[in-house]
Amino acid sequence: MQRYNSFGQYMRKTFGTTVYKVNVDAGFTCPNRDGTLGFSGCIYCNNDSFRPSSCKPSLSVSDQVRSGITHTKRRFKASKFLVYFQAYTNTYAPIDELERLYREALAAPDVIGLAIGTRPDAVDLPKIKLLETLASDFFILVEYGLQSMYDKSLEFIQRGHDFSAFLRAVEITKGRGIEIGAHLIAGFPTETRNETLAMAGEISQLPIRFLKMHQLQIIKDTPLAVLYRENPFPVFEYHEYLDFVADFIEGTSPHIVFQRLFATAPDDILIAPAWGRNRHHILRDIEKNLAARDALQGRNFTPRTVTVTD
């Protein structure tokens, strides 16, 4: 039984086969690292926690795509691919450079589109119009890193923008054929469990189709690691997180597609929470817990009603 909408299921239904991601690192930086907003980045950020070792900015985008496709075809007999611009802020460059990089990735055989991870304060109308042009022929998903809808949390993690920046980015992106995604992190010490759960319903009211949500991880060589060592705060225990995910899914609109429900940083850089379980194990336990609770996506979601007055 399908208890929540997963990204893999959505892509198989849309394209008639499994679509595999090919990650690339195009050498972008971030306004929170190059001095525009700051130099140290968000306090939790260590790109080694999620960037595959195959992503090498020393190689061209086309070489990275070609290598990734060759490896994935050999391993999985894959036939369709989504190129994922993941590392740092992937709209943070002049528009001519962005167009060159995006079209270079899309030119590879069997690539059906792009997923572009970025910050909501790193887009503008010309960049969105470029994505709109590409979306007329390809699947284009822009993933906005929100992390939290609470400004107190965004300030705590030194994000460099507020919730209103995210709302502005969504507003200029919607209605252009571009798929919109959001990225949330659960477990900031600035939020209660109920506050974090409330984001499921709030995000569901927006014109967003895709959602990534995962637990806060304390990663070595980050400002958060220093803070955690000096003033430890609670992080999700494993079974506590399984229940949180179930509650979050039930509070999320049925039209949302979940791209991610948890994170798995490499053990050699992960400080906490150290669950000692691999990706397959966590996914299996999430699905077992959903089944045990008879949980269904959207069960506790109530659309906001709009009253129209004369």
Side-chain angles (χ1 to χ4, degrees), residues 38-59:
F39 291 97
S40 60
C42 302
I43 64 172
Y44 57 78
C45 185
N46 178 338
N47 264 252
D48 291 337
S49 66
F50 58 80
R51 178 174 51 195
S53 59
S54 59
C55 291
K56 298 177 180 178
S58 58
L59 299 177

Side-chain angles (χ1 to χ4, degrees), residues 193-194 197-198 200-201 213 240-252 258 289-290 293 295-301:
R193 186 181 192 276
N194 285 340
L197 283 175
M213 188 270 295
E240 178 188 15
Y241 189 69
L242 296 181
D243 285 334
F244 173 85
V245 167
D247 288 341
F248 196 94
I249 287 173
E250 290 205 307
T252 304
F258 282 97
N289 192 49
L290 291 172
R293 292 177 41 159
L296 290 173
Q297 182 174 338
R299 173 171 285 163
N300 297 327
F301 169 70

Side-chain angles (χ1 to χ4, degrees), residues 17-143:
T17 187
T18 300
V19 177
Y20 290 84
K21 281 186 178 179
V22 174
N23 295 67
V24 298
D25 185 336
F28 290 102
T29 183
C30 171
N32 212 4
R33 286 182 175 271
D34 70 357
T36 302
L37 296 174
F39 291 97
S40 60
C42 302
I43 64 172
Y44 57 78
C45 185
N46 178 338
N47 264 252
D48 291 337
S49 66
F50 58 80
R51 178 174 51 195
S53 59
S54 59
C55 291
K56 298 177 180 178
S58 58
L59 299 177
S60 69
V61 165
S62 57
D63 284 343
Q64 292 181 64
V65 172
R66 188 181 306 111
S67 175
I69 287 178
T70 299
H71 170 76
T72 308
K73 279 188 173 181
R74 184 184 304 122
R75 184 176 181 186
F76 299 108
K77 301 187 185 303
S79 61
K80 292 187 185 298
F81 303 92
L82 182 70
V83 177
Y84 186 18
F85 286 81
Q86 181 180 23
Y88 297 111
T89 305
N90 293 273
T91 59
Y92 192 51
I95 193 166
D96 290 347
E97 181 180 355
L98 294 178
E99 182 167 14
R100 177 182 65 80
L101 292 169
Y102 297 160
R103 291 194 180 277
E104 185 177 343
L106 290 168
D110 304 319
V111 169
I112 56 89
L114 307 176
I116 301 167
T118 191
R119 293 167 55 98
D121 58 347
V123 296
D124 54 28
L125 194 54
K127 292 175 182 179
I128 293 301
K129 286 185 175 180
L130 167 62
L131 297 180
E132 182 180 17
T133 298
L134 298 176
S136 64
D137 297 310
F138 296 94
F139 177 90
I140 303 296
L141 166 59
V142 58
E143 300 176 359

Side-chain angles (χ1 to χ4, degrees), residues 32 83 116 137 156-157 191 206 231 262 266 300:
N32 212 4
V83 177
I116 301 167
D137 297 310
F156 168 74
I157 64 175
E191 298 170 17
L206 301 175
N231 296 288
F262 59 90
N300 297 327

